Amino acid sequence: MLKKRVMFTLLYDRGSFMLSRNFTLQKVGNLRWLQKNYNFSQVAFSIDELVILDVSRGERDFENYCETVKALTEGCFAPITAGGGVRDVEQARKLLQSGADKVILNSAIAGCPTVIQKIAEDFGRQCIVASVDVKMIDGVPVILTENGTKQQDISLTEWLEKVVSLPVGELYLNSVDRDGTGQGYDLDLLECLPKEMKIPLILAGGAGKAHHLSEGLEDKRVDAVTTAHLFNFVGDGLIKAREYLLAKKMDLAVWDREQALAMKNIFIQ
């Protein structure tokens, strides 16, 4: 049985990293700021994967984004998933060549699903993460695409069934209502999952404290949890969060940090 995972999501907007609350963005700092406050060669021992999402409003600078992904992969032991606005196989290829291990797709599910098939054929379905953003409107869960600006006229249950039928390796389920609130995950969304989930589920949107991560992981339907809350987990926040989860006997991987660092130094030399 696979271990559960804790992930960290970075939100990128044309050279800056952002905080998001209900999909409204606030600039935090550039790559230099991020590297100063989040040394991912160290943080990688506290997370199982890193997600980097290009949430740029308006025209994207894809080349600069790829360079940023490449910079963040240096010294980072954790696997990296990258995406945001990916529309074709060549963009996916470029992200993978920039150091990403997986590509995350959202709007392409609605706009160009054949691209998902082509990416799977070229690189394998295991490297595709399907992202679904959900917002409650009049008490009904509604799927949003295009950075939350477009609604899909289909029920969440039907949409998720469609997604898991595609050649994808994982599902990233994100609550727009809980996004950036630090109030915990919307576990009610899990009731809309297909009865037979054949791919791992990553739960996103709402984590602001370590016990929120624990609440998500304790649900048997959840394989991984992620947070994009930069300030709540700054400094040693991610380290302490993992220590908290391990103390609660969460089924997480445990690494020998000192040995891994020693191996890294030998490799660099």
Side-chain angles (χ1 to χ4, degrees):
M1 185 175 179
L2 295 176
K3 296 284 186 181
K4 298 241 178 179
R5 291 169 290 155
V6 175
M7 304 166 69
F8 192 61
T9 298
L10 292 173
L11 305 177
Y12 171 91
D13 183 350
R14 290 174 292 186
S16 298
F17 291 92
M18 317 295 287
L19 281 178
S20 174
R21 186 180 179 94
N22 309 128
F23 276 33
T24 297
L25 301 178
Q26 177 184 347
K27 181 179 177 180
V28 176
N30 58 16
L31 180 59
R32 183 175 298 178
W33 178 91
L34 186 74
Q35 291 171 328
K36 177 182 177 182
N37 289 279
Y38 292 89
N39 183 347
F40 283 105
S41 65
Q42 305 292 326
V43 170
F45 296 101
S46 300
I47 59 175
D48 297 286
E49 294 186 34
L50 176 64
V51 180
I52 311 169
L53 293 178
D54 184 352
V55 295
S56 299
R57 304 306 194 241
E59 186 176 354
R60 288 182 165 94
D61 186 343
F62 184 70
E63 291 302 318
N64 188 53
Y65 173 57
C66 289
E67 288 301 314
T68 300
V69 171
K70 185 176 181 179
L72 288 171
T73 63
E74 296 177 1
C76 182
F77 291 104
I80 291 177
T81 298
V86 174
R87 300 287 186 174
D88 57 52
V89 176
E90 287 311 307
Q91 285 183 315
R93 187 188 311 277
K94 180 68 174 178
L95 285 173
L96 295 172
Q97 291 174 341
S98 298
D101 301 277
K102 304 174 189 176
V103 176
I104 190 165
L105 303 172
N106 184 300
S107 299
I109 298 170
C112 39
T114 55
V115 169
I116 297 175
Q117 183 67 46
K118 292 177 181 178
I119 294 174
E121 290 173 357
D122 282 10
F123 308 110
R125 65 184 299 161
Q126 78 286 342
C127 82
I128 302 175
V129 179
S131 171
V132 176
D133 297 320
V134 185
K135 181 176 176 59
M136 299 299 294
I137 299 178
D138 296 328
V140 178
V142 175
I143 301 97
L144 301 181
T145 56
E146 305 295 344
N147 272 337
T149 63
K150 185 177 181 180
Q151 297 182 23
Q152 295 298 319
D153 188 20
I154 183 174
S155 74
L156 177 57
T157 298
E158 292 175 302
W159 187 257
L160 293 178
E161 288 176 347
K162 172 184 176 179
V163 169
V164 300
S165 71
L166 295 170
V168 300
E170 296 178 85
L171 170 64
Y172 184 106
L173 184 61
N174 182 39
S175 167
V176 176
D177 299 294
R178 298 294 182 93
D179 173 57
T181 65
Q183 296 177 355
Y185 298 110
D186 186 353
L187 299 176
D188 290 340
L189 294 179
L190 302 179
E191 300 303 320
C192 296
L193 291 171
K195 291 183 179 180
E196 292 188 12
M197 272 290 289
K198 298 181 180 180
I199 60 175
L201 170 68
I202 304 163
L203 191 59
K209 299 179 181 180
H211 80 264
H212 293 147
L213 304 177
S214 176
E215 288 172 350
L217 292 173
E218 285 170 351
D219 193 298
K220 293 182 180 180
R221 296 167 291 185
V222 176
D223 299 275
V225 290
T226 186
T227 178
H229 210 303
L230 284 164
F231 288 146
N232 281 7
F233 295 93
V234 76
D236 61 354
L238 287 168
I239 296 172
K240 289 184 176 179
R242 194 175 193 88
E243 290 174 349
Y244 171 87
L245 295 171
L246 290 172
K248 291 200 68 175
K249 307 300 181 182
M250 294 288 106
D251 189 22
L252 300 172
V254 179
W255 304 286
D256 187 329
R257 181 173 177 275
E258 297 303 322
Q259 182 179 9
L261 283 174
M263 291 177 64
K264 175 190 172 187
N265 290 335
I266 291 173
F267 177 77
I268 292 174
Q269 293 171 0

